Amino acid sequence: MIPSGGVTIDGAELVKFVRQHGLAVVATRGPEGAPEAALVGVAATNQREIVFDTAIRSRKYRNIQADPRVALVIGWENEVTVQCEGVADILIGPDRDRCLRAYLEQYPDGRRRAEDRDIAHIRVRPGWLRYSDYRPGSFGIHETRLDS
């Protein structure tokens, strides 16, 4: 968990936080412009990318194809969260292989799903982060940009 009390979040802390929590709510924009949210299992690469899988028939898959901007909320237990916004893409080729290694480290049981042609792996490259700690006595909010 990211310590509070003036400690800021950066790319390395994001990777650590994602790996510790493993779940996120991802929000995409539906065809009519309405927000759509889903719980997903997430992993993080050392390049501070967030990776999850989804069925190619899912709403989020279609939404990301149409508009790759996404938002995620990671962690909620103990009143500590990381929110992030970024651009998603559907992984193929060497990027998929590299990101899939990180995903399978987090979810070894995802190997069979990774072989299913109806499953895609999505990468999110966060550009904006907000770390929020609402615990009594350690309240703190910090925002940062990760733009390359």
Side-chain angles (χ1 to χ4, degrees), residues 23-140:
L23 293 174
V25 173
V26 61
T28 59
R29 186 176 181 162
E32 304 296 321
E36 296 179 358
L39 181 67
V40 294
V42 291
T45 70
N46 291 333
Q47 290 78 21
R48 67 182 190 222
E49 303 153 310
I50 299 171
V51 181
F52 62 92
D53 73 0
T54 188
I56 61 172
R57 291 181 180 84
S58 70
R59 297 184 319 168
K60 65 186 152 301
Y61 182 86
R62 288 190 308 272
N63 293 348
I64 289 168
Q65 284 183 308
D67 184 345
R69 296 173 296 169
V70 300
L72 296 114
V73 177
I74 304 148
W76 37 84
E77 55 281 314
N78 203 21
E79 299 185 63
V80 177
T81 66
V82 170
Q83 297 167 282
C84 61
E85 296 172 357
V87 177
D89 63 322
I90 299 162
L91 289 163
I92 58 172
D95 282 339
R96 179 185 183 274
D97 296 341
R98 180 180 55 78
C99 291
L100 188 57
R101 283 192 294 276
Y103 185 80
L104 293 175
E105 272 186 42
Q106 185 84 21
Y107 293 102
D109 61 337
R111 194 164 307 282
R112 187 176 332 154
R113 285 178 56 84
E115 295 168 1
D116 185 335
R117 293 198 296 188
D118 290 332
I119 299 295
H121 288 81
I122 308 295
R123 167 181 53 191
V124 177
R125 294 182 212 175
W128 172 87
L129 302 174
R130 175 186 286 148
Y131 168 76
S132 301
D133 182 343
Y134 294 106
R135 296 174 294 177
S138 64
F139 178 83

